[in-house]
Amino acid sequence: MSAKVIIGMSGGVDSAVSAHQLLQQGYSVEGLFMKNWEEDDGTEYCTALEDLADAQAVCDKLGIELRTANFAAEYWDNVFEDFLADYRAGHTPNPDVLCNREIKFKHFSAYASTLGADYIATGHYVQWLSEGEGSARLSKGTDPGKDQSYFLQAVPRAAFDNALFPIGHLMKSSVREIAQQAGLHNHQRKDSTGICFIGERRFQDFLARYIERSQGPITDPEGRVVGEHGGLHNFTLGQRQGLKIGGLKNRPEAPWYVVAKDLRRNRLVVAQDPGLLDGQWLRASEPNWLIPVELPLHCHAKIRHRQADQACTISPAADGSLLVRFEQPQRAIACGQFIAFYAGATLLGGAKIKATANTALQLN
């Protein structure tokens, strides 16, 4: 009997072609559509029903069964509560990293095991490369514009031993071409962006349902009031749109940037010098290593998904956290985000950013 694979089906072209490729390789394949959010406002923003219909159409075309599972409670407890806690602390969370760790490679994997699966599969653009018995590594996807290794940095290494990534070696253009040749109706479907439970709605309105608005002053670094904000959680470091402080007298017509969030005074600090956002070190906690490393370590890292790899040195701190120093200053390092570490194309692991320093701004 061929090995049984249960693949997460999203309705998009990546999971569709992944399922197709697994069938071509001789696996016994079933699809699983995961519902991770309980819609409370119809389908105006969340496309879950449309996604499910697309996933079903793909499975019907491929001749495989599609199951559904509701992980909304697990998502709330393990991802969304952390998401809100970070915002309340003035941080900038990344729920996609936690969703992969807690849902796709934990609850999905456990559920698939109860169905007798030998493997799970996803449409991520990454590669799990075997290098002999007991040795493997997670590598970036071949398509540099679609590589998703950053989002898998928090997944425990053992979770990859029964995971398959059928399209990690392909370019996105090739994936769409395969889908068209296979007669899959979604071969031109746009890639999803954002988070389902937020969708196209106003982000500030969504957060207001869970985090109390608390108005406070917007000041420059010297403490001069230049405006008023409706809640620090509505802003991120480096933001320059939506501040509503333009046209101030005796101020040059240059853009303003959010350079700090002062929780103690409920103060949003802005400046017209983007250099105030630059910092050359950070501290990160909860490290997750995918291969053994020895510290201190010279490697590369990225503090956001689409950033180019940056040279850095990782050193152990006395409290068990990691101290990361970059060769070049980094713009808008944000607490709550994750930092991923690389050696070439190999993902070494990652950690959650807990403290940062910028080179020119100190809050008094």
Side-chain angles (χ1 to χ4, degrees), residues 73-96:
E74 291 83 357
Y75 190 94
W76 182 283
D77 291 342
N78 300 306
V79 179
F80 191 63
E81 289 284 8
D82 192 90
F83 171 88
L84 293 178
D86 270 337
Y87 267 115
R88 292 185 180 112
H91 298 164
T92 304
N94 193 321
D96 292 332

Side-chain angles (χ1 to χ4, degrees), residues 285-306:
S285 64
E286 308 168 34
N288 177 58
W289 297 109
L290 300 182
I291 61 176
V293 299
E294 292 186 5
L295 303 181
L297 173 67
H298 299 285
C299 64
H300 286 79
K302 59 174 65 179
I303 58 174
R304 55 184 66 92
H305 168 43
R306 296 197 179 279

Side-chain angles (χ1 to χ4, degrees), residues 251-322:
R251 298 279 180 164
E253 290 298 324
W256 292 82
Y257 300 85
V258 174
V259 296
K261 293 195 280 187
D262 183 355
L263 264 68
R264 185 167 61 88
R265 298 187 179 104
N266 191 28
R267 176 170 64 117
L268 186 71
V269 184
V270 299
Q272 292 176 300
D273 178 7
L276 294 177
L277 289 161
D278 292 345
Q280 209 152 347
W281 65 264
L282 62 83
R283 288 185 184 273
S285 64
E286 308 168 34
N288 177 58
W289 297 109
L290 300 182
I291 61 176
V293 299
E294 292 186 5
L295 303 181
L297 173 67
H298 299 285
C299 64
H300 286 79
K302 59 174 65 179
I303 58 174
R304 55 184 66 92
H305 168 43
R306 296 197 179 279
Q307 182 187 32
D309 293 359
Q310 303 293 310
C312 69
T313 299
I314 311 171
S315 303
D319 62 358
S321 64
L322 304 176

Side-chain angles (χ1 to χ4, degrees), residues 343-364:
T346 299
L347 178 65
L348 301 176
K352 189 173 185 179
I353 301 172
K354 292 293 187 181
T356 70
N358 49 36
T359 56
L361 178 66
Q362 296 295 325
L363 297 180
N364 298 314

Side-chain angles (χ1 to χ4, degrees), residues 1-29:
M1 294 180 63
S2 57
K4 181 177 180 178
V5 182
I6 295 185
I7 179 170
M9 299 294 294
S10 66
V13 66
D14 295 332
S15 60
V17 171
S18 294
H20 174 269
Q21 295 294 89
L22 291 169
L23 288 170
Q24 294 294 104
Q25 294 165 20
Y27 289 103
S28 172
V29 182

Side-chain angles (χ1 to χ4, degrees), residues 201-219:
R201 77 189 84 193
R202 282 173 50 84
F203 187 63
Q204 292 186 11
D205 292 343
F206 173 77
L207 282 183
R209 295 163 53 182
Y210 304 96
I211 302 177
E212 183 179 357
R213 295 181 185 270
S214 179
Q215 292 185 329
I218 302 177
T219 77

Side-chain angles (χ1 to χ4, degrees), residues 130-150:
S130 177
E131 298 180 324
E133 186 174 351
S135 178
R137 60 188 175 91
L138 192 72
S139 179
K140 294 179 180 180
T142 296
D143 189 333
K146 299 303 296 182
D147 167 53
Q148 294 172 302
S149 58
Y150 175 89

